[in-house]
Amino acid sequence: MNRILGRVAFATALFLVAIPGFAEAPPSHIDLTKFPATQLDDVVVPLPSEVFNVLDKLGSPNWQGELREPTIKNRGERTQIALLLGAVVAEGFVAVEAADKGRVQRIGRDVLELARAIGVESTVLSRTNSIITKADSGDWVAVRRELDGALTDVKNAMIELKDAQLAHLVSLGGWLRGTEVLTSVVQKSYSPDGADLLNQPDLLKYFQQRLAGMPLRMRNNQLVNKIQKGLDEISPLINQKITPGSVKRINEITGQMVKAIDARA
Amino acid sequence: MDPYVKQGYLVRDDQWGGDLGLREQKAIPHTLFKGNDYWFCMATDLEGARLAIHVYDSKGKLAENDSWQKGRFACARVLAPATGTYYVIVEVTNSPKERTTWAMVYGYK
């Protein structure tokens, strides 16, 4: 991701202050094949809150029942820690949905500990402190924002440390746990709108290509290898009409992968 | 002042950017979720430059519900009609320089 202007604040400020004016009418249809620009670097990986924002509108699932306890003490190589970090942040969103203050605060501390384990602790310290205090006051919107921010900060810090591969694993860990929860919720109360949220073939392809492009040393890692196989198994299920059966199967596969991340294998 | 934030949009604390030549376009693929309401905004710090931003679905059909352009800023809004890949197309429509740096952010609710 380019940082040409180098100031998120600048871009955010324009978002806040700009006043609408007239625009040239855009064409109603374009030929996407003329854009060589669908390069992987530019794919936007959505934040977990974008998915949970929609889940909020789909009803009131039993979020407490969706919570699980990640085992962050069982740490292995950096690849596993990166995946676990992403999964723990996604767990934070579930805890927010469940309005479970204690769990959110523990997750805040877990994020800090995992960030420390891969050398990016200072990047997320203020975020994790904020998660803990905002959870205490029940400011769930702010907690979500800090969780999103922690994920972004960790990934950016890894990229700055020339560890972009690990940054992708953080995103992937979050996506896997997010997808496990999403399929669990949709499975319990199936609706076409809920199932439609799984229509993410390009995002899945992005993760597959990222794993395939990793150095051999990382691809040979047992956990990464297992996740690669899991994604290959999910791919045909997501690339067709999503049925209750495919939702169930995707839930099983992502559940197995999240367990493998926890167990380091 | 901050109309979108006041309307409840969460602005992602991240940005995408680069530089483009005059009338050069770039596509940024993004998975959007049905039920979410998005605003994509881009800007440049180059005085006199004008930008455009529009959002298309995976078939190349214009998907935005609203858009505007003013000076160095441009925005497009999408209420995603279905979950899937959309393409945010950014373009420099006028510029005093050969290359124009730009940045994009987005918000959602």
Side-chain angles (χ1 to χ4, degrees):
Chain A
M1 183 187 316
N2 280 314
R3 299 204 157 268
I4 301 298
L5 297 181
R7 299 186 302 272
V8 173
F10 162 74
T12 305
L14 84 88
F15 193 91
L16 302 181
V17 303
I19 300 159
F22 293 106
E24 275 178 41
S28 60
H29 199 278
I30 57 167
D31 179 6
L32 288 168
T33 58
K34 75 174 186 180
F35 286 94
T38 50
Q39 302 108 322
L40 285 173
D41 279 349
D42 293 320
V43 169
V44 180
V45 178
L47 290 170
S49 68
E50 292 176 52
V51 182
F52 282 93
N53 199 41
V54 179
L55 286 173
D56 278 349
K57 299 167 189 166
L58 284 181
S60 306
N62 172 17
W63 289 110
Q64 198 66 43
E66 299 295 337
L67 272 170
R68 51 179 276 286
E69 194 75 61
T71 351
I72 73 144
K73 301 286 176 202
N74 194 15
R75 291 201 300 267
E77 296 173 33
R78 288 165 65 81
T79 47
Q80 184 254 349
I81 298 171
L83 286 160
L84 186 56
L85 183 50
V88 167
V89 171
E91 198 64 44
F93 283 91
V94 184
V96 167
E97 294 291 346
D100 188 329
K101 285 184 185 179
R103 189 67 73 91
V104 171
Q105 290 175 325
R106 279 208 300 284
I107 285 167
R109 286 188 282 269
D110 288 351
V111 168
L112 186 62
E113 195 172 328
L114 291 169
R116 183 182 302 134
I118 44 176
V120 292
E121 178 193 8
S122 59
T123 313
V124 290
L125 186 58
S126 66
R127 295 277 190 192
T128 52
N129 284 339
S130 188
I131 287 168
I132 292 165
T133 52
K134 300 271 168 55
D136 197 43
S137 58
D139 186 351
W140 301 121
V141 173
V143 174
R144 272 187 177 190
R145 197 175 174 78
E146 296 297 345
L147 284 166
D148 276 337
L151 200 58
T152 303
D153 290 351
V154 163
K155 288 191 292 179
N156 288 340
M158 287 173 174
I159 290 165
E160 276 169 28
L161 292 170
K162 312 285 180 213
D163 230 341
Q165 314 283 3
L166 281 190
H168 301 312
L169 291 177
V170 174
S171 296
L172 179 54
W175 185 82
L176 288 172
R177 176 61 184 139
T179 305
E180 185 194 7
V181 174
L182 171 60
T183 48
S184 175
V185 168
V186 170
Q187 204 182 168
K188 283 166 190 152
S189 177
Y190 183 87
S191 71
D193 275 355
D196 185 52
L197 292 172
L198 289 162
N199 185 22
Q200 305 172 27
D202 291 317
L203 195 53
L204 178 65
K205 191 170 148 198
Y206 165 81
F207 285 127
Q208 287 178 297
Q209 290 180 337
R210 283 301 186 192
L211 288 185
M214 284 185 176
L216 194 60
R217 170 184 56 82
M218 285 177 91
R219 272 184 287 137
N220 283 342
N221 175 287
Q222 194 185 352
L223 178 60
V224 172
N225 194 263
K226 187 175 272 187
I227 285 171
Q228 202 163 12
K229 284 181 182 157
L231 294 183
D232 290 346
E233 218 181 323
I234 292 173
S235 181
L237 300 168
I238 276 187
N239 277 291
Q240 61 188 17
K241 186 174 160 47
I242 313 277
T243 63
S246 53
V247 172
K248 181 172 182 287
R249 185 64 194 131
I250 294 167
N251 178 257
E252 288 165 357
I253 299 166
T254 50
Q256 286 159 9
M257 287 194 274
V258 170
K259 277 196 187 106
I261 292 169
D262 264 3
R264 295 199 283 159
Chain B
M1 290 295 285
D2 47 356
Y4 301 137
V5 171
K6 279 186 178 162
Q7 287 168 38
Y9 289 88
L10 291 171
V11 181
R12 182 168 177 171
D13 193 6
D14 211 341
Q15 66 168 352
W16 288 260
D19 64 278
L20 288 168
L22 187 60
R23 287 289 166 191
E24 189 184 350
Q25 295 180 322
K26 186 174 180 62
I28 305 168
H30 191 160
T31 299
L32 302 186
F33 296 95
K34 181 180 178 180
N36 276 348
D37 179 350
Y38 299 86
W39 269 106
F40 292 90
C41 290
M42 73 181 292
T44 177
D45 53 4
L46 182 60
E47 286 293 340
R50 289 173 78 85
L51 309 168
I53 183 167
H54 296 291
V55 185
Y56 291 82
D57 68 15
S58 59
K59 291 181 177 146
K61 190 179 162 213
L62 189 67
E64 67 200 27
N65 300 78
D66 194 5
S67 69
W68 57 263
Q69 188 279 328
K70 185 174 172 116
R72 298 179 289 119
F73 310 120
C75 289
R77 181 190 186 196
V78 190
L79 290 109
T83 299
T85 306
Y86 291 75
Y87 294 85
V88 181
I89 309 292
V90 296
E91 181 181 6
V92 173
T93 58
N94 195 14
S95 180
K97 288 198 174 171
E98 198 176 326
R99 307 291 298 179
T100 304
T101 54
W102 59 275
M104 182 198 83
V105 293
Y106 72 92
Y108 52 92
K109 69 172 182 180

